[in-house]
Amino acid sequence: MTSRKPIAVGTNDSAQSQAAILWAARRAHHAGLPLVIVHVVDDRWVAEPYPWFGTLQQAGEELLKTAAGRLEGSVPVTPATLLLTGSVGGQLAKYSKKTSMMVIGSGSGHLGGALADRALQVATAAKVPVAVIGTQDLEGRSGVVVGVDGSAEATQAVAFAAAEADRDGDELTVVYAVNAPDPVIDAGLTPAVLADLIVDEERVVLSETVAGLKEDYPDLTVHQRLESDKGAVDALVEAAAGARLLVVGSRGRGAFKRLLLGSTAHGVLKHLPCPTIITRTDAVQGTI
């Protein structure tokens, strides 16, 4: 370990955040890192220090105490707790600078699930890898899936995913979805032979992305999966349906550089198939 920064998990006592706390506690125990459970009292609508705001803070403290108490007897971790005030997404993203990983529940199913909740805000602005946890049953799941597209972000995601899979004896599946021309739909516009050439070229990109993994992880089983008939989000959600973990980069080569979260990561959070980690190019590697 090169860092003793804690794993932090945000909670609002929803079913998703309770699942996130348990996942974070197990990871902290496994990695030998401290755990911090964080709750944010949203004060965005408070123009003045109303007397009842203290009641909200007290309720937040009780919520944290209850959340920490649920871990007793289940995971041998004694968490610290932290109460913050302000914008929920903004405060969690700001606090992430002090952590090695930020963990958050996927959000409720209303209004588009994670896209309408704090998970998207935190995954967009955090300075460290962000794990987004849903309420799926994780019993019997195995394997780590990672999405790639030839970008620097994808290369880092592969490195993260490979280390994760190798550490826990899992197999790694590297998924690359290619937008190749359809010889039927694009008849008269793009020859079928060109579509084949594009797929062949992208297959080389996929191979180059995983090159070196065998040297770094000689016992790691790596599967390469090139998808040319579905989009990246659908391909990843399908591949990770029974996986223990999905890893994606915060941005890909197709994203506008001004965007902090690429469309693939964005879409995966909306259709979360399993615990998903969003990696970042500026995050310290090998610490969690």
Side-chain angles (χ1 to χ4, degrees):
M1 297 291 175
T2 58
S3 170
R4 289 292 300 170
K5 288 185 176 181
I7 292 175
V9 53
T11 183
N12 60 4
D13 209 34
S14 65
Q16 291 86 350
S17 64
Q18 290 179 29
I21 289 174
L22 183 58
W23 188 93
R26 289 171 174 167
R27 188 174 185 93
H29 173 63
H30 186 65
L33 292 175
L35 176 68
V36 180
I37 303 176
V38 184
H39 176 67
V40 183
V41 177
D42 194 340
D43 70 351
R44 289 176 299 168
W45 316 116
V46 181
E48 300 178 27
Y50 290 108
W52 48 259
F53 189 68
T55 302
L56 291 180
Q57 291 179 308
Q58 184 178 354
E61 294 285 4
E62 288 298 321
L63 185 153
L64 287 171
K65 182 179 179 181
T66 299
R70 288 197 184 100
L71 292 178
E72 294 181 7
S74 59
V75 184
V77 169
T78 302
T81 59
L82 177 65
L83 185 70
L84 300 173
T85 60
S87 163
V88 178
Q91 286 297 316
L92 290 178
K94 182 179 179 181
Y95 182 70
S96 72
K97 298 177 183 179
K98 301 178 180 179
T99 73
S100 59
M101 174 177 284
M102 179 62 70
V103 183
I104 189 167
S106 60
S108 60
H110 70 287
L111 300 178
L115 291 181
D117 274 302
R118 312 304 184 189
L120 177 62
Q121 300 175 27
V122 178
T124 299
K127 305 302 181 183
V128 295
V130 175
V132 184
I133 312 300
T135 55
Q136 299 93 345
D137 183 2
L138 303 184
E139 189 68 29
R141 288 173 172 262
S142 65
V144 176
V145 176
V146 59
V148 302
D149 62 2
S151 66
E153 285 82 357
T155 299
Q156 176 172 290
V158 169
F160 187 103
E164 177 79 16
D166 184 72
R167 182 176 61 236
D168 293 327
D170 268 317
E171 296 185 356
L172 176 66
T173 299
V174 184
V175 179
Y176 185 13
V178 179
N179 294 319
D182 188 295
V184 176
I185 296 176
D186 297 330
L189 298 177
T190 305
V193 65
L194 179 57
D196 292 338
L197 287 173
I198 290 174
V199 170
D200 288 342
E201 289 180 358
E202 299 298 3
R203 199 179 303 279
V204 173
V205 172
L206 176 57
S207 297
E208 291 177 344
T209 301
V210 302
L213 290 183
K214 198 63 179 177
E215 180 179 347
D216 295 334
Y217 306 103
D219 297 326
L220 177 64
T221 298
V222 180
H223 305 283
Q224 298 181 41
R225 186 165 168 175
L226 186 70
E227 298 282 3
S228 59
D229 60 351
K230 57 175 65 76
V233 174
D234 289 341
L236 288 171
V237 169
E238 178 182 302
R244 177 178 66 83
L245 183 70
L246 172 62
V247 180
V248 293
S250 57
R251 293 185 299 183
R253 67 181 183 182
F256 292 104
K257 291 304 180 183
R258 67 176 180 272
L259 298 180
L260 296 178
L261 196 68
S263 59
T264 298
H266 198 142
V268 166
L269 290 187
K270 184 178 180 181
H271 303 285
L272 199 73
C274 65
T276 298
I277 294 180
I278 310 296
T279 62
R280 316 203 75 84
T281 54
D282 55 352
V284 176
Q285 296 301 296
T287 62
I288 52 176

